[in-house]
Amino acid sequence: TQLLEQSPQFLSIQEGENLTVYCNSSSVFSSLQWYRQEPGEGPVLLVTVVTGGEVKKLKRLTFQFGDARKDSSLHITAAQPGDTGLYLCAGATGNQFYFGTGTSLTVIP
Amino acid sequence: KAGVTQTPRYLIKTRGQQVTLSCSPISGHRSVSWYQQTPGQGLQFLFEYFSETQRNKGNFPGRFSGRQFSNSRSEMNVSTLELGDSALYLCASSLVPGEWNEQFFGPGTRLTVL
C-alpha cells in the first residue's frame, strides 16, 4: 500500500522551463522530506518541512507543505540539466518514513 | 568524513538461496535503517536498528531479517530468495532514531534473483 502518490511519474522538459511535482496522501504526516536520487546512488535529502503551510526555498527549488500536512509540492524554476534525477517525497508518521512513488525528471539541454 | 558504505554493490543469486548484505554507517551514527527499492513499489521500509536492537519493522515476511553490531555496522539477511526479491537494497544511517534526524543513504546493493 502506497501512502504517498507522486505526480507526474515521468517528466521531460527543456532547460529553462519551470515545473511542479506533487506529493499527495490521505494520511497526515508530522513532517515531510524531499530527496533526489541519481542513478547508482542513494537518495540525498533536499529539505524537511514540518509545519502545515510551510514554504521553504533552496535556490531555484521551492517546497510547500499543505495546510493539513497531507500533501506537498516541489517547484523548480528555470530547470537545468543538473536537476535531472528521481525526486522522492517521504512522510514521517509513527517513527517511520513512507516514501512516495517517485518522479523521474529529465532536463534536456 | 566517509559516507555510508554498502557491500557488495552487486549480487546475483538463484531462487531458494540466501543472501547477506552489509552496511557500515557514517562514523558516530548509531541508527541504521534498511529499505527495498523496486520500480513497481518504490522505496519501502524494511527495518531500523539502534544500539543493536530492532526498533521498528516494516511489512515484510520473516524471510527478511537483520542485526546490528556493537560498532553500529548492520547486516540484513534474506532467506529462501524469490524472484520478487530482486531490488536495490538501501541502507541509511542517522545519529539517533527519529524523524527529525537526517538520514544519509548508501549507494545500495543491487540484488538480482534468477
Side-chain angles (χ1 to χ4, degrees):
Chain A
T1 303
Q2 284 287 355
L3 290 184
L4 287 161
E5 296 289 337
Q6 287 184 237
S7 61
Q9 188 177 358
F10 298 97
L11 194 53
S12 182
I13 62 172
Q14 294 289 331
E15 182 177 359
E17 292 184 351
N18 302 332
L19 67 112
T20 301
V21 176
Y22 299 93
C23 174
N24 296 301
S25 176
S26 57
S27 301
V28 176
F29 296 102
S30 52
S31 67
L32 196 135
Q33 299 180 330
W34 283 93
Y35 292 81
R36 181 171 68 217
Q37 184 178 19
E38 299 186 17
E41 299 181 10
V44 175
L45 180 67
L46 296 173
V47 77
T48 301
V49 285
V50 299
T51 306
E54 181 177 1
V55 177
K56 278 193 175 179
K57 292 192 176 184
L58 184 65
K59 296 184 181 178
R60 295 177 293 101
L61 278 61
T62 301
F63 306 85
Q64 184 163 9
F65 200 11
D67 291 340
R69 304 205 319 275
K70 293 182 179 181
D71 53 80
S72 180
S73 64
L74 157 61
H75 182 79
I76 300 179
T77 303
Q80 298 177 359
D83 295 328
T84 293
L86 178 68
Y87 287 81
L88 296 160
C89 63
T93 182
N95 287 319
Q96 189 174 135
F97 285 99
Y98 295 88
F99 279 79
T101 47
T103 294
S104 181
L105 170 66
T106 301
V107 181
I108 303 166
Chain B
K1 57 184 172 184
V4 178
T5 57
Q6 293 187 244
T7 57
R9 290 294 309 275
Y10 302 92
L11 206 48
I12 299 175
K13 292 285 187 178
T14 56
R15 277 185 302 173
Q17 287 187 309
Q18 75 164 19
V19 66
T20 299
L21 311 180
S22 181
C23 171
S24 292
I26 291 172
S27 177
H29 285 195
R30 295 163 58 200
S31 175
V32 173
S33 297
W34 288 90
Y35 294 86
Q36 181 196 65
Q37 187 174 30
T38 59
Q41 296 296 318
L43 247 159
Q44 296 189 90
F45 172 76
L46 281 157
F47 26 64
E48 179 187 26
Y49 285 88
F50 175 67
S51 293
E52 302 177 65
T53 302
Q54 188 180 88
R55 188 171 173 269
N56 219 341
K57 189 177 190 304
N59 190 26
F60 278 81
R63 300 185 296 109
F64 292 81
S65 63
R67 59 178 175 168
Q68 186 179 35
F69 302 94
S70 58
N71 61 358
S72 295
R73 190 177 70 85
S74 177
E75 289 181 348
M76 68 162 282
N77 184 278
V78 188
S79 62
T80 319
L81 285 166
E82 301 177 359
L83 295 179
D85 296 334
S86 294
L88 180 68
Y89 289 88
L90 291 160
C91 162
S93 78
S94 59
L95 281 169
V96 291
E99 60 194 62
W100 313 111
N101 292 287
E102 181 176 356
Q103 293 187 97
F104 294 84
F105 282 85
T109 294
R110 172 75 62 186
L111 171 64
T112 302
V113 181
L114 303 176

